[in-house]
């Protein structure tokens, strides 16, 4: 049995112009420690699905089970990260990373140590006392990554976390994310509309199509681990990218 | 670290490079200082020019002294007014009215702003009325307040309160409502409840807009008290201005206006200083 199991998930938003079907009949299993990506064009329901996984949105229909329990509310063992770093400008970097610990009432001393470790892990040693406005976009996402890990959640839900970064920074961040993931063994659900990024990172890719949002298919990525940017030269990498493009109907 | 990889130029030692950077920063600081001094001088120069024009216009009879007193007359009048035995008691009356009006207006504005922002039922119940009440110019209430609360301090405080309440209320509400939806999502994902979200996110996030409200609130509280004193009072700066104007002691009126402006400005500066302390991250 997987860590997260969705069966026949539907999501309908009621909007001013009537009901809007954001997801229809989405079923999947996510295993513990797996790296899953959700890819698809804008509006296919990736963020909606991630919000449902995070317990922030209610599904309209279907079943969602996490670790054997029905799941419909935020939990402390799930962490979320967004396209913008959402750092609080009145907090130093260190204080930002300590936010989850404060909210959840975790042991202060332990959190202080963990914060230093995490800043180390994301390569921001020595930046702890700076303020977010003093950091570049890439560095801020590193802080957001450290904060994501602060309370040691079991599941990481990441909504286009590197989508606003330039190509070079994004690639660096991808490599680092893989390194951290391999070290920590977290279960990751990673939203992106960058197919290459999804193939590079994932064990499996959920390919989604819009109107209404559906899970078009699941691609198992057949590439060795640990991965470096070298795998982008692997013919299988190109093939996966091509397959996904075909599933999304971007190649004609 | 990979993000701050340094380019090494051949033939330059690390120390030499650091030295060059330090010199560049020092030069930049000097330039900034010079700009600052230049701006100060421009402002002071303009002020002196205005006073000079004022002086020439009044002392050389271009404008009648009963309409605008000369700077010299105003200066002496200021001394005369400040040393008169009626001055300080009247100042005390006005200051305490302003303090109460400002204090009550600010507090009630913040409280209602928070309640309306945080509780849907309160918003649904009160918001339409609060917005409707905001529409008429509050000054029209001054005569009514004199009728209701009498010639003494309460009627002035009441005018100050209704005038300073709305900017504080609206700015608190706006501040608490203009928050990054992802930040709210983040707090929810961390299982933060209403209070923790308020304390860690909504309130600090609202402070810049709220502090702008405090400044408006202050200016309007002073305005409210003076208007209240004009409408009907037996003591206070507004009352003095009114009385002196009646006696055609225009220089005295001018000196009071200047003293009142200086006082308002000093407190305003104090609030701005507090603001820069409270929302320090805007200065970074
Ligand atoms: N809170 C909401 N209320 C109404 N409609 C929404 C809401 N969130 C998303 N939608 C709609 O649901 C669809 C899927 O949105 P989303 O999950 O954000 O897609 P994606 O992240 O793949 O771009 C879109 O048509 C969007 O307009
Ligand atoms: Mg999205």
């Amino acid at each position: 049995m997987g860590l997260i199991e969705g069966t026949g998930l539907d999501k309908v938003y009621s909007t001013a112009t009537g009901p809007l079907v954001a997801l229809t009949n989405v079923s999947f299993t996510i295993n513990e420690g797996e790296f899953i990506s959700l890819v698809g064009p804008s509006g296919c329901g990736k963020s909606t699905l991630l919000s449902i996984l995070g317990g922030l949105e209610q599904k309209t229909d279907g079943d969602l089970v996490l670790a054997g329990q029905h799941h419909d509310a935020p939990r402390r063992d799930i962490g979320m990260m967004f396209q913008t770093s959402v750092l609080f400008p009145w907090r130093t970097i260190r204080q930002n990373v300590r936010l989850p610990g404060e909210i959840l009432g975790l042991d202060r001393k332990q959190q202080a140590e963990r914060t230093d470790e995490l800043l180390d892990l994301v390569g921001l040693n020595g930046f702890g006392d700076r303020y977010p406005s003093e950091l570049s976009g890439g560095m801020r996402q590193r802080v957001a990554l450290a904060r994501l890990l602060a309370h040691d959640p079991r599941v990481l839900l990441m909504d286009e976390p590197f989508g606003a970064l330039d190509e070079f920074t994004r690639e660096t961040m991808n490599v680092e994310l893989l390194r951290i993931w391999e070290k920590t063994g977290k279960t990751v659900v990673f939203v992106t509309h960058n197919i290459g990024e999804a193939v590079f990172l994932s064990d499996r890719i959920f390919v989604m199509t819009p109107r209404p949002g559906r899970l078009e298919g699941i691609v198992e990525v057949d590439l060795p681990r640990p991965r470096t940017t070298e795998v982008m030269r692997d013919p299988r990498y190109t093939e996966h990218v091509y397959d996904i493009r075909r599933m999304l109907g971007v190649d004609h | 670290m990979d993000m701050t990889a340094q380019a090494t130029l051949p033939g330059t030692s690390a120390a030499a490079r650091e030295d060059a950077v330090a010199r560049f920063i020092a030069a930049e600081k000097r330039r900034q200082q010079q700009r600052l001094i230049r701006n100060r001088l421009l402002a002071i120069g303009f002020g002196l020019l205005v006073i000079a024009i004022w002086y020439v216009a009044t002392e050389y009879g271009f404008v009648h002294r009963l309409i605008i007193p000369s700077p010299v007359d105003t200066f002496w009048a200021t001394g005369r007014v400040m040393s008169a035995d009626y001055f300080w008691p009247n100042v005390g009356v006005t200051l305490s009215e302003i303090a109460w009006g400002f204090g009550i207006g600010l507090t009630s504005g913040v409280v209602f702003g928070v309640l309306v922002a945080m509780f849907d039922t309160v918003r649904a119940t009160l918001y339409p009325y609060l917005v409707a009440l905001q529409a008429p110019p509050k000054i029209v209430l001054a005569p009514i307040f004199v009728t209701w609360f009498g010639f003494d301090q309460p009627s002035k405080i009441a005018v100050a309160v209704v005038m300073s309440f709305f900017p504080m209320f609206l700015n608190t509400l706006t501040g608490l409502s203009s928050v990054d939806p992802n930040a709210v999502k983040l707090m929810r994902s961390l299982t933060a409840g209403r209070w923790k979200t308020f304390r860690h996110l909504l309130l600090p996030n609202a402070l810049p807009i709220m502090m702008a409200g405090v400044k408006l609130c202050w200016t309007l509280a002073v305005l409210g008290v003076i208007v209240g004193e004009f409408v009907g009072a037996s003591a206070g700066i507004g009352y003095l201005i009114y009385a002196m104007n009646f006696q055609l002691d225009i220089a005295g009126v001018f000196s009071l206006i200047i003293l009142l402006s200086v006082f308002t400005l000093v407190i305003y500066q104090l609030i701005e200083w507090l603001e820069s302390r409270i929302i320090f991250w805007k200065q970074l």
Side-chain angles (χ1 to χ4, degrees):
Chain A
M1 208 183 74
L3 177 64
I4 308 172
E5 293 193 351
T7 318
L9 295 179
D10 290 341
K11 176 68 189 181
V12 183
Y13 286 112
S14 47
T15 68
T17 52
L20 187 150
V21 182
L23 290 174
T24 179
N25 196 23
V26 174
S27 301
F28 55 85
T29 299
I30 295 170
N31 299 309
E32 177 108 52
E34 240 187 332
F35 199 121
I36 301 287
S37 283
L38 310 181
V39 293
S42 278
C44 69
K46 304 183 295 294
S47 296
T48 300
L49 181 53
L50 209 68
S51 289
I52 293 174
L53 290 176
L56 299 181
E57 285 283 359
Q58 297 304 317
K59 59 192 184 308
T60 311
D61 203 0
D63 263 329
L64 182 63
V65 174
L66 191 151
Q69 296 170 320
H70 282 284
H71 171 46
D72 59 1
R75 301 168 47 124
R76 56 169 63 203
D77 56 356
I78 299 177
M80 295 198 87
M81 180 171 167
F82 307 95
Q83 183 165 13
T84 50
S85 56
V86 206
L87 300 180
F88 295 174
W90 51 86
R91 284 174 169 254
T92 62
I93 299 312
R94 185 172 284 117
Q95 289 166 341
N96 266 288
V97 176
R98 293 191 60 172
L99 178 77
E102 280 176 39
I103 303 276
L104 296 169
L106 304 181
D107 182 75
R108 281 163 182 273
K109 232 179 104 204
Q110 240 169 359
Q111 279 293 301
E113 279 168 27
R114 184 162 174 80
T115 301
D116 288 339
E117 282 168 25
L118 286 171
L119 288 178
D120 239 5
L121 184 72
V122 299
L124 285 179
N125 199 339
F127 286 89
D129 295 323
R130 302 285 191 92
Y131 282 90
S133 58
E134 301 173 288
L135 268 54
S136 69
M139 289 163 101
R140 279 186 227 167
Q141 282 310 75
R142 286 167 188 265
V143 181
L145 191 55
R147 182 186 57 197
L148 174 68
L149 298 167
H151 56 300
D152 203 20
R154 194 172 175 190
V155 180
L156 310 182
L157 304 178
M158 308 174 80
D159 197 349
E160 302 191 37
F162 309 137
L165 302 181
D166 65 80
E167 196 63 29
F168 306 104
T169 314
R170 188 155 60 101
E171 204 159 280
T172 318
M173 294 299 287
N174 280 335
V175 171
E176 300 231 354
L177 177 60
L178 273 193
R179 179 176 61 80
I180 290 167
W181 172 72
E182 272 152 15
K183 219 162 144 177
T184 55
K186 304 284 183 198
T187 306
V188 179
V189 183
F190 185 100
V191 170
T192 175
H193 47 230
N194 186 312
I195 299 170
E197 183 176 60
V199 174
F200 174 67
L201 292 170
S202 314
D203 294 318
R204 287 187 300 147
I205 297 168
F206 294 2
V207 182
M208 298 179 66
T209 51
R211 280 180 298 275
R214 276 175 308 121
L215 188 48
E216 182 72 28
I218 297 178
V219 173
E220 295 244 10
V221 179
D222 174 25
L223 288 168
R225 293 214 190 253
R227 290 177 197 164
T228 62
T229 44
E230 282 296 301
V231 300
M232 294 180 190
R233 288 206 241 164
D234 195 308
R236 285 171 293 182
Y237 174 89
T238 326
E239 201 158 312
H240 284 313
V241 171
Y242 177 77
D243 280 349
I244 294 166
R245 289 176 67 89
R246 202 166 32 77
M247 288 168 83
L248 290 170
V250 274
D251 287 325
H252 301 283
Chain B
M1 206 187 54
D2 54 357
M3 295 198 64
T4 52
Q6 296 183 344
T8 323
L9 300 174
T12 53
S13 71
R17 245 183 298 126
E18 252 170 52
D19 189 47
V21 169
R23 261 183 290 128
F24 176 77
I25 291 173
E28 193 54 37
K29 273 208 178 119
R30 259 198 312 280
R31 265 193 293 276
Q32 217 167 357
Q33 199 115 46
Q34 280 162 1
R35 262 198 304 275
L36 200 75
I37 291 171
R38 194 190 73 117
N39 291 349
R40 285 274 153 80
L41 285 179
L42 277 174
I44 292 170
F46 181 73
L48 290 176
L49 179 71
V50 170
I51 292 176
I53 292 173
W54 178 16
Y55 180 84
V56 171
T58 49
E59 289 285 328
Y60 293 89
F62 294 104
V63 181
H64 196 282
R65 285 184 172 203
L66 266 183
I67 296 173
I68 299 179
S70 82
V72 181
D73 290 349
T74 309
F75 178 80
W76 291 120
T78 308
R80 170 166 56 81
V81 165
M82 284 181 74
S83 55
D85 53 359
Y86 58 77
F87 180 68
W88 292 107
N90 281 297
V91 167
V93 166
T94 299
L95 287 195
S96 78
E97 286 164 357
I98 293 175
W100 280 106
F102 178 60
I104 297 174
L106 182 109
T107 313
S108 56
V110 169
V111 168
F112 276 90
V114 169
L115 290 177
V116 169
M118 297 302 290
F119 300 98
D120 287 343
T121 10
V122 180
R123 179 189 289 257
T125 316
L126 289 184
Y127 190 62
Y129 296 104
L130 288 170
V131 169
L133 278 177
Q134 195 220 344
K138 257 65 67 187
I139 289 181
V140 300
L141 294 172
I144 302 174
F145 283 169
V146 172
T147 314
W148 287 354
F149 303 118
F151 263 52
D152 291 336
Q153 291 190 315
S155 61
K156 288 66 187 178
I157 295 173
V159 182
V161 169
V162 292
M163 287 186 75
S164 58
F165 168 80
F166 285 99
M168 205 55 236
F169 165 69
L170 287 176
N171 279 43
T172 303
L173 180 59
T174 311
L176 291 172
S177 316
S178 30
V179 57
D180 177 0
N182 278 342
V184 176
K185 269 192 175 180
L186 175 74
M187 294 301 281
R188 284 186 59 209
S189 79
L190 290 169
T191 69
R194 200 199 288 278
W195 166 241
K196 279 183 177 165
T197 306
F198 177 76
R199 191 160 75 86
H200 290 288
L201 171 63
L202 299 180
L203 182 63
N205 184 63
L207 283 177
I209 298 179
M210 285 174 71
M211 284 310 294
V214 172
K215 288 192 268 183
L216 275 171
C217 183
W218 169 251
T219 324
L220 288 172
V222 175
L223 181 64
V225 163
I226 300 299
V227 166
E229 288 180 348
F230 281 172
V231 170
S234 47
I237 302 287
Y239 165 75
L240 280 187
I241 292 177
Y242 196 81
M244 285 180 172
N245 203 41
F246 193 69
Q247 295 158 13
L248 293 183
D249 180 3
I250 307 300
V253 170
F254 260 59
S255 67
L256 283 176
I257 293 174
I258 289 171
L259 287 173
L260 187 64
S261 310
V262 168
F263 165 70
T264 312
L265 249 153
V266 166
I267 303 290
Y268 194 88
Q269 293 288 325
L270 193 75
I271 296 173
E272 286 209 319
W273 175 82
L274 263 176
E275 179 183 28
S276 72
R277 282 299 154 110
I278 294 172
I279 47 178
F280 61 92
W281 64 93
K282 291 277 170 189
Q283 262 90 38
L284 291 173

